[in-house]
Amino acid sequence: MTWALLHSILSQAPELIPHVLPEQWRTSRSIPWHCHLTPEISDEEAREAFKELTSDQTCNFISSYSICIFLDDLDECECIRGSVELISSLQKLASLSDNIKLCVSSRVMNSLAPVDDAYPQQKMYLHNLTLSDIRKVARDRVKRHPSFQRMVAEKETECNKLLDLITQKAEGVFLWLTLILNIRYQGLIDDDTLSGSWEKIKFYPDDLDEFIQQIVKSIPPENRKLAYRTFAIASTVSRYDENLLLLNYSFLKDYTSNKDFALAIPKDRVLSSDGLATRLARTQKRLVAHCKELLQFIHNWYEPSAPTVSFMHRSIRVTFEQDQIKVNMAEHLKDFDVLDAILQTTHAVFKLSPMYGIGNTTRAPLRETTHLVPVLKVIKGVESRCPTATYKSLDSIAATLLNRQGLVGKSFQHTEWARINIDSWCFPTIYDRPFVSSLVHHATLPGLSSYRDWTLMKLTDFEQRGKASTELLSCYIHSGLEPDLQDLSFGSAVWIESLFRDGLSANCPRYSVAERYGQPIWYSLLGHLVSGFIEVNKYYWHVFELLSEMAHTVHSRWS
């Protein structure tokens, strides 16, 4: 949260940077203009910079600004020294000037006592404001069940007291209310008595995190392995604000039994539409039962056969990131590779799902095929630590993706791109060319350059590599995206060299100019190289020389 505050304030008032980050400012000002250096700021330096904002030296300067800060969930801030230090800094910031306003939400904490004492009239308790709404939701939800209606008819006073207990323990938190009502509703289905319901509700803690952990612990032992592994996958993917298909989770049991199950699926086997619907319905029921309704299912109207799975609320995801719950689940996750499970279930999805196939290859541009994006984002997040097995799994998915489009037995390396001519991210009717979707092209979306390098470096024939590289560049040009030059590696340098030795020639005139802008491709690449935030290394200068040579050659021809 300190980082976020510092970034928000300095973005709006960059003239404060020399005052709060003087060393980093001097370093940035001292380097040559054509070199791009991203300053490294540690957590300790960020905290010191935020303290400097409220110091006596900066007080007169910052008090001339009108600042309004909104902070949500202060109690959940991930501060090494706890929330006390941050609260103290915020209180000092607010005291600098009447032009500095703060609006903060938090659970009741002892560390907030100084703030409460300083501003007794400027606080409100949310649970007091939402009391009537909480009670209404609780009453409307349970009264629909026939069992509760019979209880009300027999013991109306006791039923009202039960609703009062639920309302009181919720403390204005609708997520807590939703979770306890799910448990209560299941109790009504199981014919729980009124006294039994009372004991269950009293048993669960008021604290939301403890409540969620208690729900996870209550999963029956025979269901824990699949449930905990489901949570592990959902937690990993949600870190990147993505969700996996429900169909992925339907293969988790197969993966638990055999980690290589996807490779054993015959190439010509595809689920029927009815078979897919049955599989999804069965998986949804299993996840609801095993995972205690901590997950939700998102059905998109434009893709009714491709629902996704996510946590019911971000607070649940945060709980699964805590050390205590990880310790509780460790026994069932000790031999479980989350990334491999995601890759293998994704491979099964592309082999068996009727959503992919020859009949769909010209339906839409590649950019509308989104089911690979969550997987590629996860890999991008751990790219520096990915083992060779990860890229081999991607190769298997890539081959399956091509096979489903009629290129049986082909791989990216063995496909004659000059004949097939991928025309990615544009409608195939524009150039009257077949539309072929390759995983390498998908990987360009999240900037997964390591898989591009892995694939192209396996092309031992330089001419063949140049043709494949040219097709890859086509994706960037027709999508209006800048090529991924953020990470200039040996593979990146070879890729650029391939383009200019073979691809950008008289044999491929269409690739020599970006039609959208009417500019040569080398011009776009060179501009991106000079203006982008790219680490300067030996590969940087190698690529720069290649682009400059191209520019000189073209200029000589024009002259």
Side-chain angles (χ1 to χ4, degrees), residues 6-157:
L6 193 63
H7 179 267
S8 297
I9 294 174
L10 296 183
S11 296
Q12 296 296 319
E15 59 273 18
L16 291 175
I17 296 177
H19 297 274
V20 298
L21 292 167
E23 185 176 342
Q24 289 81 0
W25 176 258
R26 284 193 298 269
T27 301
S28 298
R29 297 285 292 176
S30 64
I31 63 174
W33 67 269
H34 60 278
C35 296
H36 297 279
L37 176 67
T38 302
E40 295 184 1
I41 303 174
S42 65
D43 291 339
E44 183 63 32
E45 289 172 331
R47 285 194 295 270
E48 291 301 320
F50 190 73
K51 285 183 180 179
E52 187 62 30
L53 280 174
T54 61
S55 66
D56 295 335
Q57 292 82 356
T58 318
C59 176
N60 293 333
F61 195 56
I62 198 173
S63 60
S64 62
Y65 289 85
S66 295
I67 300 175
C68 184
I69 298 174
F70 295 89
L71 291 177
D72 188 21
D73 294 331
L74 183 61
D75 53 295
E76 295 181 5
C77 75
E78 299 175 0
C79 184
I80 296 177
R81 298 187 177 121
S83 58
V84 177
E85 180 184 40
L86 180 58
I87 291 171
S88 176
S89 299
L90 290 173
Q91 190 176 4
K92 188 172 182 181
L93 180 64
S95 65
L96 293 178
S97 169
D98 291 337
N99 294 330
I100 300 176
K101 308 294 183 184
L102 280 82
C103 181
V104 179
S105 73
S106 172
R107 300 180 196 174
V108 177
M109 300 187 300
N110 292 334
S111 53
L112 280 173
V115 180
D116 292 340
D117 295 338
Y119 308 99
Q121 304 301 320
Q122 293 175 293
K123 65 179 180 181
M124 57 184 177
Y125 293 103
L126 183 64
H127 62 276
N128 290 336
L129 297 176
T130 60
L131 187 66
S132 59
D133 293 329
I134 290 282
R135 183 178 177 82
K136 185 177 186 302
V137 171
R139 184 183 63 250
D140 292 347
R141 173 78 184 276
V142 297
K143 78 175 185 179
R144 294 197 297 264
H145 199 280
S147 296
F148 191 76
Q149 293 173 4
R150 289 194 298 271
M151 290 181 186
V152 172
E154 297 171 2
K155 300 178 180 179
E156 183 176 0
T157 303

Side-chain angles (χ1 to χ4, degrees), residues 196-263:
S197 298
W198 188 278
E199 291 301 321
K200 279 186 178 180
I201 293 171
K202 290 180 65 177
F203 169 75
Y204 286 105
D206 301 354
D207 181 80
L208 183 60
D209 289 337
E210 295 178 7
F211 184 24
I212 295 172
Q213 292 186 38
Q214 189 67 43
I215 293 174
V216 174
K217 287 180 182 179
S218 70
I219 296 174
E222 65 272 15
N223 296 336
R224 285 178 185 172
K225 176 177 282 191
L226 278 178
Y228 288 0
R229 293 183 174 192
T230 299
F231 290 140
I233 292 175
S235 178
T236 299
V237 177
S238 65
R239 291 176 202 154
Y240 305 95
D241 297 321
E242 294 288 346
N243 303 313
L244 279 187
L245 292 169
L246 177 60
L247 189 56
N248 278 78
Y249 292 94
S250 75
F251 295 113
L252 186 54
K253 192 172 182 179
D254 301 273
Y255 176 79
T256 300
S257 302
N258 176 16
K259 294 182 179 180
D260 297 322
F261 83 100
L263 293 173

